[in-house]
Amino acid sequence: MAIRQAIRKSGRELLCHRDLGGVQVTSALRMPQAVQGMPLEKRRPWLQWITQSGPYWNDDREHGDGDWLEVEDGEIVTDFACGEAAFCRASGLDREIVSVNPSRWLRSPITVRWRKTSEDLKIEVVNHWTIETVEASLRNLPAAFNSWKSLEGCARRTCSLLSFSENAFSYLKGHPYVHGAAERLLIRLHVLNKMKSCFDIEGNRTSEGHRLYSDHFTGEKAWFSDSSDGEKAEFQSELTFPHPAEASKFLFCTWHGKVKTPQLRIHFSWPIAVNIPLYVVYVGPKITKR
């Protein structure tokens, strides 16, 4: 709880699994029975966190049940915090984990192998079990987002290859700020920014560009996709935006980046090519809601 408090003071959160309140703690005791020996002033905030307030990482998990994630000894960690952290790190979303002491997880980093169809990927996850290492790590992190406005400022500073419309982020106004969603929006914008740089002198997509396209623009869990034909017809007006650079012209931006919880979208111009700007015209709630 002291580690959680230190993390919260930095503007971040320590997330737990939604099922933590009922896990098997010892061979004979589950969580509700195991905590009965704790003083009331410690037991009450502990239970309130893990059973009521959260936040819970599995409410907005990035990896799926079909993703094969394992640690060094072959133990499967799909649906475990270190598996989720590793998957996030592989996707560009920085994550570290906290383990209970005593436990068999007192090592850092923890190496997680993501067994993919094409090739295995090894990811190292920093693990903490003392407040001292947590505080040291927090000191080295950039300032946390605390508003959609600070997200916009960071995006405009760090995504220099993207051409944002003046009001691209205005659609978030009035929408409740969600820190995890802000992080995921920035990661997707960074991918778009990287894609804009992945061309050779002849204008062909580089090997890194092909990898990004394969990882994030194709497949059922792709971060980016085109709208369906039905959505294009039904929401033609809503998906048409003033051209950021040419007065009286418009862009039909059906390609979009996706964040699941809450449902947020990034609409941008297509195709992504070396000789034309990549316009980001909309960052806000999902447009094509039926």
Side-chain angles (χ1 to χ4, degrees):
M1 293 299 286
I3 288 175
R4 179 184 182 234
Q5 184 62 25
I7 293 172
R8 298 192 80 185
K9 286 175 65 175
S10 76
R12 296 170 172 83
E13 287 283 1
L14 177 60
L15 287 73
C16 63
H17 197 287
R18 183 170 283 279
D19 296 338
L20 184 59
V23 297
Q24 195 80 29
V25 179
T26 72
S27 60
L29 299 175
R30 289 189 175 275
M31 183 67 74
Q33 296 79 42
V35 299
Q36 291 308 308
M38 294 171 63
L40 180 61
E41 67 272 14
K42 291 186 177 182
R43 182 171 74 245
R44 183 175 290 164
W46 167 259
L47 290 175
Q48 183 179 23
W49 172 40
I50 65 175
T51 64
Q52 298 179 38
S53 59
Y56 307 103
W57 64 259
N58 50 316
D59 283 353
D60 194 24
R61 58 186 280 175
E62 290 287 334
H63 81 278
D65 293 333
D67 291 309
W68 187 347
L69 298 153
E70 64 181 34
V71 290
E72 300 98 314
D73 60 1
E75 180 178 357
I76 303 299
V77 291
T78 300
D79 201 37
F80 280 64
C82 60
E84 172 70 3
F87 192 93
C88 288
R89 290 182 65 82
S91 303
L93 190 60
D94 194 18
R95 288 290 183 264
E96 298 180 4
I97 61 175
V98 173
S99 294
V100 175
N101 182 12
S103 74
R104 59 190 175 87
W105 295 96
L106 304 187
R107 61 188 188 276
S108 183
I110 294 176
T111 302
V112 178
R113 178 183 286 108
W114 177 12
R115 292 193 175 276
K116 305 173 70 175
T117 304
S118 54
E119 59 178 343
D120 290 354
L121 183 64
K122 285 187 177 181
I123 311 114
E124 291 193 340
V125 179
V126 174
N127 183 30
H128 302 277
W129 55 91
T130 69
I131 192 169
E132 290 79 15
T133 63
V134 169
E135 290 177 334
S137 180
L138 290 170
R139 286 194 293 269
N140 292 325
L141 294 177
F145 300 131
N146 54 23
S147 67
W148 296 127
K149 189 68 177 175
S150 58
L151 165 67
E152 176 181 1
C154 185
R156 291 184 183 274
R157 286 194 309 273
T158 59
C159 299
S160 59
L161 299 182
L162 302 182
S163 299
F164 293 97
S165 65
E166 184 177 353
N167 66 334
F169 292 85
S170 65
Y171 306 95
L172 290 167
K173 187 177 181 180
H175 196 74
Y177 176 73
V178 180
H179 180 69
E183 286 186 308
R184 286 168 171 80
L185 284 172
L186 186 62
I187 291 297
R188 283 144 180 76
L189 289 168
H190 281 170
V191 170
L192 288 178
N193 191 70
K194 184 67 176 176
M195 279 289 290
K196 190 68 178 72
S197 71
C198 290
F199 295 93
D200 60 24
I201 57 175
E202 295 179 350
N204 300 312
R205 190 184 295 157
T206 63
S207 58
E208 175 66 5
H210 286 303
R211 185 192 67 79
L212 288 172
Y213 184 82
S214 176
D215 286 350
H216 300 303
F217 291 77
T218 62
E220 293 182 3
K221 296 191 294 183
W223 286 355
F224 305 93
S225 66
D226 195 5
S227 301
S228 67
D229 290 341
E231 289 172 336
K232 291 177 182 179
E234 183 176 351
F235 297 95
Q236 180 176 1
S237 176
E238 292 86 348
L239 295 173
T240 301
F241 301 88
H243 197 294
E246 300 182 41
S248 75
K249 289 190 176 182
F250 296 88
L251 292 172
F252 189 41
C253 295
T254 60
W255 272 86
H256 55 280
K258 295 169 279 190
V259 170
K260 293 184 294 184
T261 308
Q263 290 200 61
L264 301 176
R265 299 293 184 262
I266 302 166
H267 284 266
F268 54 91
S269 57
W270 189 265
I272 301 174
V274 66
N275 57 349
I276 56 176
L278 174 48
Y279 294 108
V280 176
V281 296
Y282 179 94
V283 182
K286 181 178 179 180
I287 294 174
T288 57
K289 288 184 178 179
R290 289 190 169 93

